[in-house]
Amino acid sequence: MHFELPLTLKSANISISLKNLAQVLVKIWTVAWPLAFPGGVVVFKWWNHRPSYGFAARIRAWFDRIGDYFRPHYAIYRSRREEDSYWRTAERGRRTLQASNANIIPEEVPLVRYFAPKLPPLYRDVKEEDPEAREYHLSPRVYCKWHRMVFRGPLHPTLKEAPEQIRLYSSRDRREIYRISRLATDEEVFRKKAPWTTRYATMWKRWLDAKGPDMAIVFQ
């Protein structure tokens, strides 16, 4: 006589519940497997590198000693030709680096002479150029424009008279004249679209007070 269990796998409801549970477990594993994977890696590494004791440890140490006995302690070339090729390549590299080698140890000294690169040149150091070393050329039109900006009144040099007056100024003065002339446009100066102001005259006066004396070279 067989008794039927109150709950069997033939029940449709239980089958659906188990199927849903399996799907949920698969989804959880799909999402959470990266979290479990590092732990598995740690366990695997510990298992491979775990300390051995007893007979297994002695067998492993014995095989390691046999391997060290047959394993060469230095690398050799397969042929004399390969070794000569290596030394030729090394010599070419040494000659290439010799031009930039800062190692000053003599060859007769029994030391390993390592390559020491030379320091780069001091091209980053900016040398101050003497403003009077080269003559600064100023165009007559720029000079006439500057003269109208600095000096007030109707008396101003013409383009023909400007070269004679430019010779009376040093190279430093000519650079300052050019700088001041760039502060206003030609229309404002020549066409008098802007009223005259003491701003540029004050700039020129401050320049004369701050620049110091000019050096004059007289040939006799």
Side-chain angles (χ1 to χ4, degrees), residues 23-35:
Q23 292 178 354
V24 171
L25 292 177
V26 170
K27 291 181 179 179
I28 293 175
W29 172 253
T30 304
V31 175
W33 73 267
L35 301 177

Side-chain angles (χ1 to χ4, degrees), residues 46-63:
W46 175 84
W47 181 262
N48 287 339
H49 299 85
R50 70 187 189 281
S52 301
Y53 303 99
F55 181 74
R58 291 195 295 270
I59 294 297
R60 181 179 298 178
W62 183 71
F63 277 107

